[in-house]
Each structure stands twice: as C-alpha cells, then as structure tokens.
Amino acid sequence: MANVKAVDSGVVFTAKMSPKGEILADDYASRKVSRQIEELLNNHLKSEGIIANNLMIVYGSKDPLEKEFGISLNDYISKQSPKYFSGYLVIKESLNNTGTAFINAFQKTFTDIQNTELVANVWIIPEESYDDIIADFTRLSEVDNSWFDNKNTRNHFKFIMNKDGINLDENELNQLFQGESNLAYSVKELKKDTNYAYVKL
C-alpha cells in the first residue's frame, strides 16, 4: 500500500499498487468526501482564530462509496446516512484557542454535516513545532495516536459533538488549551470508546 496525492484535487489517498506501479485498488472516492469535511472544519476553526489541520474518516455508511468522485458532502450524507465522522485534529498552540471559539467552530461544522456525530482526537502542538509536524501530517491518508509518540506536543484530548451535546464544556476546554493535563486522556484511553456525560448546547 502507498499514499498517493491526486494532482487535480490534492487529496491524499491509499492505493494498492502493482509491481509495475499501476493502481489496483484505492480509497480515493471516500477520501475525497472526507476532504470536504476537513476543509469545512479547518475553515470554521480559522474563522474563530484557531490555526489547525485535520484528517477525518467517515464511518457507518449504508453502502461502500466506490466511484462517485464528484459527489458533494451534502448529497453523500443524504444518501448514505453515515453514523459519524471521526479523525485527528492538530492545533497550533495560541492564546486565541478558547473553549468558546472551539465549540463555535464545531457547531458550525456539525450543522453543515446535517447533525452527524463528529469525533476528534485533538493534539495541541507548540508554535515552534507546528509547521514541521503539519508538513508530515498532511502527507498522510490515515493516522493514529501512536504517530504522535515522538512528536513535540503540548496536550491531547478527545472531543465529541452529537445530538446529545458535547463531552467537554467551555471551561474544561479552556483548561486543556492552557496545558492542564488532569482532563486529558492518555493515548490508551483515546483509542477506546467511552461512555461520556454530554453537556447540552
């Protein structure tokens, strides 16, 4: 398997290659849909003063997405009714990072994706390391928390928004953005499902 970047769209996807370098199978179509939500979330965060990049995957669709290359995110959600979008969000450490701004960006994205559950493993990166880490991060078609093991990170946590509300409120997020770790999850905990007490928006 190899990571390939499409020239026309810039989408990074995983492809199974033949010995001659031909693509035998790939996840381009699903990654192109995911790229649309990634751009939405990045833009909403940026509008709130938060510099970030993310990698999202769609889960629980009715049918595997094969070759509908041009499908819009709205059409995809309407047709496939995915259970949730989940992935990794890398944020540049800054005083602009507040719980209110973060929740606002997620709320806008949540509305855009027709109230589909949104899950993010969030990693806060010191300003001096952000550009180097993002340069590597944006070359990936998939990632897990172990990828951050040897990286210079400030904090990490899991954030969930769904129809029940959010798992971390504004004050808890502020503490996490300020580097307090008592609310942060260990990497082991980030990898497993947890029953959260959700805060209504």
Side-chain angles (χ1 to χ4, degrees):
M1 301 295 283
N3 289 336
V4 180
K5 186 174 184 177
V7 175
D8 57 342
S9 64
V11 173
V12 178
F13 61 98
T14 301
K16 182 179 181 180
M17 311 293 290
S18 73
K20 295 181 179 180
E22 300 167 330
I23 295 178
L24 302 176
D26 65 73
D27 63 351
Y28 175 76
S30 61
R31 282 294 304 130
K32 191 170 182 181
V33 167
S34 296
R35 178 65 179 270
Q36 294 177 62
I37 187 174
E38 291 165 5
E39 291 175 347
L40 279 174
L41 182 55
N42 285 341
N43 289 334
H44 288 319
L45 287 164
K46 185 177 180 180
S47 72
E48 295 289 339
I50 299 174
I51 304 303
N53 211 308
N54 71 94
L55 196 159
M56 287 286 168
I57 303 294
V58 59
Y59 291 91
S61 299
K62 290 180 180 177
D63 299 303
L65 187 61
E66 295 291 342
K67 298 299 180 182
E68 293 189 73
F69 295 137
I71 193 169
S72 70
L73 182 59
N74 280 335
D75 286 346
Y76 174 75
I77 293 172
S78 297
K79 290 179 180 179
Q80 300 292 339
S81 301
K83 290 183 179 179
Y84 61 97
F85 291 96
S86 178
Y88 296 81
L89 175 61
V90 180
I91 295 179
K92 185 177 184 178
E93 185 178 37
S94 169
L95 294 176
N96 293 328
N97 300 341
T98 67
T100 298
F102 185 83
I103 290 171
N104 285 344
F106 266 77
Q107 181 66 69
K108 292 173 185 175
T109 307
F110 185 64
T111 300
D112 288 340
I113 60 175
Q114 303 176 33
N115 297 337
T116 305
E117 183 169 324
L118 189 55
V119 181
N121 292 297
V122 183
W123 289 83
I124 312 298
I125 308 298
E127 183 177 359
E128 66 272 14
S129 301
Y130 179 80
D131 288 344
D132 288 339
I133 288 177
I134 285 298
D136 292 336
F137 182 77
T138 54
R139 297 189 185 103
L140 304 173
S141 62
E142 57 184 11
V143 68
D144 62 34
N145 285 300
S146 63
W147 185 81
F148 295 89
D149 284 350
N150 299 315
K151 305 292 189 299
N152 182 21
T153 62
R154 185 71 72 210
N155 214 345
H156 60 270
F157 57 92
K158 179 177 283 188
F159 183 76
I160 302 171
M161 179 174 285
N162 58 30
K163 293 177 181 178
D164 293 324
I166 52 178
N167 68 314
L168 295 169
D169 65 23
E170 177 184 334
N171 291 329
E172 291 171 325
L173 288 166
N174 283 334
Q175 291 178 50
L176 291 165
F177 283 130
Q178 291 164 12
E180 296 184 25
S181 60
N182 60 314
L183 292 170
Y185 300 101
S186 68
V187 170
K188 184 177 180 181
E189 288 173 319
L190 281 171
K191 292 179 180 178
K192 66 182 182 181
D193 291 329
T194 306
N195 291 321
Y196 296 101
Y198 291 96
V199 179
K200 286 288 187 183
L201 291 171

